[in-house]
Amino acid sequence: MSDPVLFEELPCENGMRLGVATLNAPQTLNSLSLAMCEQLAARLQTWAQDPAVAVVVLAGAGGKAFCAGGDLHGLYRSMRENAAREPLANDYAQSFFATEYRLDYDIHAYPKPVLCWGHGIVMGGGIGLMAGASHRVVSETSRLAMPEISIGLFPDVGGSWLLNRLPGRSGLFLALTGAQLNAGDALFAGLADYQIASADWPALLAELQAQPWTGNGDYTVAARGTNDGLLERALRARAPAEEAVPGPLRQHLMLINALCSGNDLAQICEEIATLRGHADPWLAKAADTLAAGAPGSARLAFALQQRARLMSLAEVFRLEYWAALMCASQGDFAEGIRALLIDKDRKPSWRPATLAQADEQWVQPFLQPPWGLDGGPLAGLENGKRAVG
């Protein structure tokens, strides 16, 4: 059996090294397993403490995807085994989400430059890994999305924090519709920093090995700034001179803002529904996805974005952790995976079946972690500490 993550250290001309971590499950489009998260977390910690490692690179094997999401099959098995349907009775879900979220947060707070090669499909858990990288690169093959509404989940991995920071009301639109973004829209939305052609990736790595990285046993703030600058110059040199062609998100932002204005979720969903059959297939597909998606997911995504507006990233991860455990115990998450990946009938039976049933009262238990916003398994994120017990 091959290793779920491949690690290598590429030597640079001045004796420094690049730490390269490659997700190695191309048969599942590099979907994140618990083992992947554990191995990545351990190696990133090692590289953070190694003064000879100047930059960390995250990539995916196979050419089709950086990472298409989380380990849905493993989560499905754990949900089927949790007959009690209690949020704290599913040991696998607790371990998976806690490890994944802590890894994602650690990337946001990483002391060295992190270059994420977001080629191909980048969805769900892939967005979680990419979002925190200091240098996020897309290519002409990139397709980014948070499609959790189709499986009875919500845009997690910090998505409630991230989507709040997108232009206008586009973050809410993407959460409700799972709409995909191309490279141009990823740059416009602030989900990526540079676009580089797929064919140029090997040459870029070779150029990075030739950079005069700083380290020398004392990885200071000044060294971080120097290496950030070196990496940025190398990326700018490879990026196209011309501005990326506007994608559908940018083209339709004014319309999206109008459709998603206000605080009445039912009204917003009705407005988006008017796009069904639209001449632009991107808009029409977005509306169709919302119509077929889980009403509970729509309500939860909406409520989380509202709740997260003034929260820190660590607080958002702690809130999402409880919401994810609730999803894993309430039925829609398992049903969504069943319909999409297990039986593949694409006919989920959502409960609640309508947005009216998934009302404000219904969603409140998802937003109330028993340990509050400071405790639980993700306590101490801000200080790099792990919860005890």
Side-chain angles (χ1 to χ4, degrees):
M1 181 179 293
S2 57
D3 294 331
V5 186
L6 301 177
F7 298 105
E8 59 181 329
E9 297 183 2
L10 301 180
C12 300
E13 291 182 1
N14 67 347
M16 300 289 286
R17 300 190 302 276
L18 305 178
V20 181
T22 303
L23 306 181
N24 188 37
Q27 69 279 8
T28 63
L29 299 177
N30 300 318
S31 293
L32 273 178
S33 65
L34 178 57
M36 277 179 163
C37 293
E38 291 172 338
Q39 290 185 17
L40 270 173
R43 185 57 66 96
L44 289 181
Q45 183 178 18
T46 297
W47 282 340
Q49 298 169 354
D50 187 340
V53 173
V55 174
V56 169
V57 180
L58 303 178
K64 293 182 179 180
F66 166 58
C67 175
D71 175 25
L72 297 182
H73 284 89
L75 286 166
Y76 181 77
R77 287 192 296 271
S78 73
M79 288 185 281
R80 290 295 300 272
E81 293 167 0
N82 181 20
R85 296 183 67 175
E86 291 291 337
L88 298 178
N90 188 331
D91 292 339
Y92 180 83
Q94 290 187 73
S95 296
F96 177 80
F97 287 119
T99 305
E100 181 189 23
Y101 290 6
R102 187 174 288 278
L103 169 63
D104 292 337
Y105 186 88
D106 287 348
I107 293 173
H108 278 271
Y110 205 67
K112 300 181 180 183
V114 177
L115 168 60
C116 182
W117 175 229
H119 65 289
I121 297 172
V122 187
M123 296 184 183
I127 296 286
L129 293 175
M130 185 174 176
S134 60
H135 297 73
R136 303 161 300 172
V137 181
V138 289
S139 76
E140 75 283 357
T141 70
S142 295
R143 295 294 181 270
L144 283 68
M146 297 291 280
E148 288 83 359
I149 192 166
S150 296
I151 56 170
L153 190 58
F154 62 94
D156 65 328
V157 293
S160 307
W161 181 90
L162 179 67
L163 294 176
N164 261 327
R165 285 155 176 76
L166 268 58
R169 301 284 282 180
S170 61
L172 177 59
F173 181 82
L174 296 178
L176 295 176
T177 66
Q180 294 186 20
L181 305 182
N182 61 16
D185 270 341
L187 292 167
F188 168 70
L191 295 175
D193 306 301
Y194 301 93
Q195 180 178 352
I196 293 177
S198 296
D200 287 347
W201 177 246
L204 173 64
L205 285 180
E207 289 173 8
L208 296 183
Q209 289 180 264
Q211 299 298 316
W213 306 109
T214 298
N216 299 323
D218 182 20
Y219 205 88
T220 62
V221 173
R224 167 66 191 261
T226 298
N227 290 344
D228 275 334
L230 291 170
L231 181 53
E232 287 169 8
R233 282 194 289 275
L235 291 170
R236 284 200 300 268
R238 283 283 170 181
E242 66 278 4
E243 185 178 1
V245 176
L249 179 69
R250 185 173 181 179
Q251 293 172 20
H252 298 299
L253 183 61
M254 291 184 63
L255 172 60
I256 289 170
N257 287 342
L259 296 173
C260 296
S261 63
N263 293 312
D264 186 335
L265 178 59
Q267 181 63 38
I268 290 170
C269 290
E270 289 177 7
E271 295 288 345
I272 294 175
T274 64
L275 299 176
R276 301 191 76 179
H278 195 281
D280 187 324
W282 186 82
L283 289 173
K285 183 177 180 180
D288 288 343
T289 300
L290 172 58
S297 292
R299 175 66 67 186
L300 181 54
F302 181 74
L304 283 168
Q305 284 198 35
Q306 287 191 313
R307 184 68 61 91
R309 284 174 182 167
L310 300 179
M311 287 182 178
S312 70
L313 178 59
E315 289 173 331
V316 170
F317 271 116
R318 288 191 281 265
L319 178 59
E320 288 185 348
Y321 175 73
W322 174 251
L325 294 184
M326 284 289 290
C327 287
S329 69
Q330 296 301 303
D332 268 2
F333 190 19
E335 174 64 6
I337 297 173
R338 180 206 64 76
L340 181 66
L341 298 178
I342 308 302
D343 297 336
K344 301 181 181 179
D345 58 24
R346 296 185 177 269
K347 295 180 180 179
S349 178
W350 302 124
R351 297 180 183 178
T354 67
L355 192 60
Q357 294 171 353
D359 57 14
E360 289 285 353
Q361 182 177 357
W362 173 86
V363 80
Q364 287 309 306
F366 292 79
L367 308 176
Q368 298 173 359
W371 42 72
L373 291 179
D374 297 321
L378 296 182
L381 274 184
E382 300 90 333
N383 303 315
K385 297 179 180 178
R386 295 183 180 275
V388 177

